[in-house]
Amino acid sequence: MSASEEYVFVCPDCEESMEVNPSMRDALVANGCVVCGAPVSIDAFTRVESSADP
Amino acid sequence: MGLEQETEMTREETDALLSRHETGVLSLASDDDPYAIPISYGYDADERQFYMRLVSTPDSKKREFLSGSPTVRLVVYEEAGRTYRSVVVSGVLHPIARDEITPEHVEQYGDAKRPLFEIWGDARKDLDIQLYVLRPETISGRRIELELDQ
Ligand SMILES: [Zn+2]
């Protein structure tokens, strides 16, 4: 469990893609895509391993 | 026949009208050129701000009018029996960059309807959907009641 849990969100409808944290992910699932308004499920998110930045 | 009574609406009545509607006419201008479009919005009555998604194509006229943070007017009106209500909002339309989007924005846009009037064809990748918040300088609501016995 890293403190900086990140996901990549790709909207199934408008194909907008953005990197999001857990609170953004929850907001998107609850409210739909912020860009186009389409419903969003948890499948629209892929966990990313944080890159090896210092 | 006559306009019997024109009244300034209270803040509560104005906010109620803006909240029960989700579309209006947004007016932009560039020098002497007017540009008015029907739009969908979500209204946050606590902050008194409007959240909008506006769609344009790369070389559309609309994009020209939307560039920067334009001064705009938004008109929302209704007609219910003998009562006519209208609200005129003037203020500045601020674009929200993708990397500025917060969970609070997501919630506000959840209440804003999809861009009902906008072209929403298949070539979505060619469409630029930009998020805006309209921060009003003035919000003025009026109600006109027509007389009963005419
Ligand atoms: Zn979308």
Side-chain angles (χ1 to χ4, degrees), chain A residues 29-49:
Chain A
V29 170
N31 298 284
C33 175
V34 66
V35 174
C36 75
V40 167
S41 79
I42 203 78
D43 299 337
F45 299 86
T46 319
R47 179 82 188 262
V48 288
E49 302 306 326

Side-chain angles (χ1 to χ4, degrees), chain B residues 23 31 34 53 56 69 75 83 91 100-101 105 107 123 142 150:
Chain B
T23 60
D31 297 324
R53 301 179 173 103
S56 60
S69 292
V75 178
T83 307
E100 291 169 0
I101 299 173
H105 286 135
E107 216 173 289
R142 290 182 184 283
Q150 5 177 322

Side-chain angles (χ1 to χ4, degrees), chain B residues 5-144:
Chain B
Q5 212 183 337
E6 182 183 287
T7 322
E8 187 126 356
M9 293 200 289
T10 61
R11 174 171 175 161
E12 288 67 34
E13 195 178 359
T14 303
D15 284 348
L17 183 143
L18 292 171
S19 300
R20 73 176 166 264
H21 288 266
E22 55 194 35
T23 60
V25 175
L26 181 73
S27 293
L28 305 132
S30 164
D31 297 324
D32 284 342
D33 267 342
Y35 191 77
I37 44 171
I39 54 101
S40 312
Y41 66 81
Y43 181 57
D44 176 356
D46 295 327
E47 300 286 335
R48 300 200 103 191
Q49 293 187 345
F50 297 81
Y51 294 88
M52 303 171 190
R53 301 179 173 103
L54 300 176
V55 181
S56 60
T57 51
D59 44 28
S60 70
K61 193 153 192 193
K62 194 197 286 185
R63 187 169 294 185
E64 260 175 66
F65 282 94
L66 285 170
S67 65
S69 292
T71 303
V72 301
R73 281 193 168 207
L74 172 68
V75 178
V76 180
Y77 67 91
E78 71 180 19
E79 179 185 334
R82 296 171 183 279
T83 307
Y84 294 75
R85 293 185 183 86
S86 64
V87 177
V88 177
V89 178
S90 63
V92 176
L93 202 55
H94 297 275
I96 303 173
R98 292 292 198 263
D99 59 4
E100 291 169 0
I101 299 173
T102 63
E104 289 71 38
H105 286 135
V106 176
E107 216 173 289
Q108 295 294 350
Y109 280 95
D111 294 334
K113 295 294 177 263
R114 303 189 76 172
L116 302 171
F117 290 108
E118 312 271 9
I119 304 160
W120 202 262
D122 288 7
R124 284 185 192 137
K125 276 182 248 171
D126 297 336
L127 297 176
D128 175 37
I129 306 171
Q130 175 62 55
L131 307 182
Y132 290 90
V133 57
L134 168 53
R135 301 208 179 99
E137 277 148 21
T138 61
I139 301 181
S140 124
R142 290 182 184 283
R143 183 180 62 242
I144 291 168

